[in-house]
Amino acid sequence: MKLFVYHTPELTPNLEVPDCAIAVDVLRATSTIATVLAAGGEAVQVFSDLEKLIQVSEQWHPEKRLRAGERGGGKVPGFELGNSPLDCTSELVDGRRLFISTTNGTRTLQRIQDAKAVLAAALINRASVVRYLVDKQPETVWIVGSGWEGTYSLEDTVCAGAIAYSVCKEMNIPVEKIAGNDEVVGAIALYSYWEDNLLGLLHHASHGQRLLRLNCVEDLKYCSQTDVLDVLPIQHEPGVLKKYV
């Protein structure tokens, strides 16, 4: 198994398709996706285009759907939800499909949707992602950060490092044997430095600061936790993620 870390979807190779691709958007799309499925959501369907989301979701009974829209960190007017995982309670999402479009994370999932296996990872479900990788051992694995509008983000890179670090530890393999690019080594180094203060890192991150200005401090606290959800979102058809069983 070779791991590759890409800081944004734009940096992934154009003409290659990995055995497994993992989308990471700690703040907050993949954290929200994992939370919805852990709370009993039927599925999460992702869109980069808001009009397409509305068109497709209209085909579902209103009691069986939820619409989540986020742009610039704020909720899109007319949608039931923004992009806060804390709003995704079991009472609200159980048995319903979440139709979601966000600034960064949904774009990443669409970029990697042709991979043989597509997963959604955040710090909160890191252990489930690692367990899948150790069990299946796909030959090539892309861990793709969502970044912020095409630029590097600390929070996605530290999550990529957390995953790679745990894979090395679980498989008892030195990083140089599993790293497909230098970004893997850098991501592990970032995680190793901040492992005991991930919330502090999120406060330093530019998007973390953006969310703090929007009074989303509880979101940062929630998203900085590791291994608190035993759930693995996996793509069942392009753009549709369900709980892996």
Side-chain angles (χ1 to χ4, degrees):
M1 180 164 55
K2 285 289 185 181
L3 302 180
F4 298 81
V5 169
Y6 299 103
H7 297 310
T8 68
E10 292 81 6
L11 293 173
T12 56
N14 287 325
L15 301 178
E16 298 178 28
V17 177
D19 296 297
C20 178
I22 304 169
V24 179
D25 187 6
V26 172
L27 297 175
R28 293 166 289 173
T30 53
S31 296
T32 296
I33 290 168
T35 301
V36 168
L37 295 179
E42 178 266 333
V44 178
Q45 190 162 352
V46 301
F47 298 83
S48 56
D49 182 76
L50 290 170
E51 292 186 5
K52 182 69 173 176
L53 183 159
I54 294 171
Q55 177 187 346
V56 173
S57 63
E58 282 294 325
Q59 301 169 20
W60 286 69
H61 192 282
E63 293 183 1
K64 291 294 183 181
R65 73 176 185 227
L66 285 169
R67 293 166 174 163
E70 172 266 325
R71 291 295 184 269
K75 185 169 82 75
V76 175
F79 283 59
E80 291 98 337
L81 297 169
N83 193 21
S84 174
L86 298 180
D87 292 336
C88 301
T89 62
S90 58
E91 293 80 8
L92 181 64
V93 306
D94 188 40
R96 304 172 86 173
R97 176 169 294 207
L98 181 72
F99 297 84
I100 186 171
S101 179
T102 71
T103 305
N104 303 294
T106 51
R107 189 179 77 254
T108 303
L109 281 160
Q110 291 193 326
R111 168 66 188 90
I112 63 174
Q113 67 181 13
D114 293 332
K116 295 174 185 176
V118 175
L119 314 177
L123 291 167
I124 56 175
N125 73 323
R126 186 264 308 257
S128 299
V129 175
V130 170
R131 189 161 57 245
Y132 178 92
L133 295 177
V134 172
D135 181 42
K136 301 295 184 182
Q137 296 197 25
E139 187 173 341
T140 55
V141 179
W142 292 2
I143 307 175
V144 185
S146 298
W148 177 262
E149 297 183 343
T151 61
Y152 174 94
S153 69
L154 284 170
E155 67 274 9
D156 293 345
T157 304
V158 83
C159 183
I163 294 167
Y165 172 86
S166 289
V167 169
C168 291
K169 185 177 180 181
E170 290 291 323
M171 297 181 67
N172 195 27
I173 296 175
V175 62
E176 60 267 21
K177 295 289 187 181
I178 206 168
N181 60 6
D182 285 354
E183 287 89 334
V184 174
V185 180
I188 290 175
L190 182 70
Y191 172 70
S192 298
Y193 186 84
W194 288 96
E195 179 181 4
D196 296 325
N197 188 20
L198 291 170
L199 179 58
L201 176 69
L202 292 167
H203 277 256
H204 281 287
S206 58
H207 191 39
Q209 293 175 22
R210 190 177 294 109
L211 291 173
L212 288 172
R213 291 193 292 270
L214 294 168
N215 298 314
C216 296
V217 63
E218 294 302 320
D219 278 15
L220 264 65
K221 290 179 181 178
Y222 177 76
C223 294
S224 69
Q225 301 174 98
T226 52
D227 310 334
V228 295
L229 293 184
D230 185 19
V231 63
L232 179 63
I234 189 167
Q235 181 175 263
H236 274 240
E237 59 185 90
V240 178
L241 295 105
K242 295 188 176 185
K243 185 177 181 179
Y244 177 73
V245 292

